[in-house]
Amino acid sequence: DWRRDNYWHGIFVKSQLARGGWIRDVIFRNISTVFNGSQNLVTPFVDVTMGYNNGGSESKPAKSPPIFRNISFESVFVDGTKQVAEVRGLAGRPDLISGIRFSSLSARNYKIGLVCSDAIDVVVTNSSLPSIGCSVSNSALHQSAHDSSRRRIRKNIKELKVRRESDNN
């Protein structure tokens, strides 16, 4: 959606310490943008963060911190942004974000590629974008882990559909 005032994220996966909870087994696939004419956007196009709202909240922290697992971005093309993607966990707790996969991530007309911080097992495959703090690999080991994650996600989707069908009957 091209709008002059669209300075927000294309994909925004977010939480903060006060919210807790899980985000897991999600695939974003075949996403592309049209040129929006600006490299001055304030936010990354793809943003995976536990620092939503700078981590601030008026409520007390959740009993357990948020956890992000097995989130995949496949065949994403961005045209015209300041930063293509960022993965940012909680300072000192990189174990809370793991299993993030970027496959075939590409962009043009951007200033910053992919930046990862306070996260583990963030893997970029089949991409020439510059990245900081991420594992860039085309190895069979990472592809095998990625394929395993995709199979698990498909299985979860099938189980969810079966549950919905049985709930409707």
Side-chain angles (χ1 to χ4, degrees), residues 1 29-35 45 75-79 106:
D1 184 13
R29 181 182 297 131
N30 298 328
I31 298 169
S32 64
T33 66
V34 295
F35 180 64
F45 181 80
S75 299
V76 176
F77 172 74
V78 181
D79 190 358
S106 60

Side-chain angles (χ1 to χ4, degrees), residues 62-148:
K63 291 182 181 181
S64 59
I67 298 174
F68 295 178
R69 295 283 187 270
N70 303 320
I71 302 172
S72 295
F73 301 88
E74 301 174 0
S75 299
V76 176
F77 172 74
V78 181
D79 190 358
T81 188
K82 181 176 183 179
Q83 183 173 349
V84 177
E86 180 172 28
V87 176
R88 183 169 41 109
L90 294 174
R93 292 294 314 268
D95 59 306
L96 298 176
I97 293 184
S98 70
I100 309 300
R101 303 285 183 259
F102 290 92
S103 175
S104 300
L105 177 63
S106 60
R108 66 181 177 203
N109 302 309
Y110 65 93
K111 290 184 179 179
I112 303 168
L114 173 60
V115 178
C116 303
S117 62
D118 296 306
I120 57 174
D121 193 27
V122 178
V123 178
V124 182
T125 60
N126 196 23
S127 177
S128 61
L129 288 177
S131 65
I132 301 168
C134 313
S135 299
V136 178
S137 174
N138 287 313
S139 74
L141 174 65
H142 288 300
Q143 188 61 42
S144 173
H146 180 69
D147 290 344
S148 174

